[in-house]
Amino acid sequence: MTKPIFVLGGPNLNLLGTREPEIYGRETLADIEARLAGQAGPGSLVFRQTNDEGQLVDWIQEASRDGAALILNAAGYTHTSVAIRDALSACTVPVVEVHLSNPAAREGFRQVNHVAPVANATIAGLGAFGYQLALDAARYLVSEKGQPEP
Ligand code: CA2
């Protein structure tokens, strides 16, 4: 059976669509999940969000073990978490980092990025559409690199 692509989200992404629409858009995370699931097809996505850093580390390890690829928006942890960077360093499947906004064009503290150096690709600044591109990118990387060893 084909392994699913994991789509993991970090802290506060559960608030999407409720506040700061000028930065993050009007779509909720459930809207993004529904569109992506339609694009991916039945059973081919695992879509999760957590506000907890350790939970995200556990899920990254699970994606490496049980997934074909990982799409990650680590949200605020992008800029702070060595633990998430270490989990990604150990990840054996392709990793596509995604951000709704473009952190490089924002505040100074968002210029630190612990994820990008250990991701295969980064997509930022395209709002929810970035997730669709990330799914295409993840599939491309899976087909380019071949399936990981069982
Ligand atoms: O642009 C992105 O996708 C971010 O990962 C979103 C994070 C932010 O800390 C990163 O620098 C860039 C924030 C997650 C969403 O936070 C919200 C806060 C208020 C209202 C809605 C969402």
Side-chain angles (χ1 to χ4, degrees):
M1 207 173 82
T2 316
K3 291 181 171 186
I5 292 176
F6 278 61
V7 185
L8 303 180
N12 298 306
L13 287 168
N14 55 309
L15 298 177
L16 284 181
T18 65
R19 300 199 195 125
E20 303 195 40
E22 65 288 354
I23 301 175
Y24 299 119
R26 295 197 180 276
E27 288 191 81
T28 66
L29 201 58
D31 294 332
I32 294 172
E33 177 179 7
R35 183 157 357 80
L36 215 61
Q39 182 184 342
S44 52
L45 276 195
V46 172
F47 194 103
R48 298 178 189 159
Q49 183 272 334
T50 179
N51 293 328
D52 186 270
E53 186 177 16
Q55 179 69 84
L56 205 48
V57 168
D58 285 344
W59 285 348
I60 291 166
Q61 292 179 7
E62 185 184 339
S64 178
R65 208 173 45 241
D66 300 336
L70 168 62
I71 295 169
L72 176 65
N73 185 347
Y77 290 139
T78 305
H79 316 296
T80 62
S81 179
V82 173
I84 285 169
R85 182 198 161 113
D86 287 346
L88 292 170
S89 294
C91 186
T92 56
V93 296
V95 177
V96 179
E97 179 189 22
V98 64
H99 295 285
L100 296 152
S101 67
N102 180 6
R106 298 182 63 192
E107 304 95 323
F109 63 86
R110 294 185 210 273
Q111 311 305 314
V112 177
N113 186 329
H114 294 291
V115 170
V118 286
N120 295 81
T122 297
I123 294 166
L126 294 168
F129 181 56
Y131 279 81
Q132 294 173 241
L133 297 178
L135 180 57
D136 278 348
R139 285 172 156 168
Y140 166 76
L141 289 167
V142 168
S143 64
E144 187 192 43
K145 289 171 186 256
Q147 294 287 339
E149 296 294 322

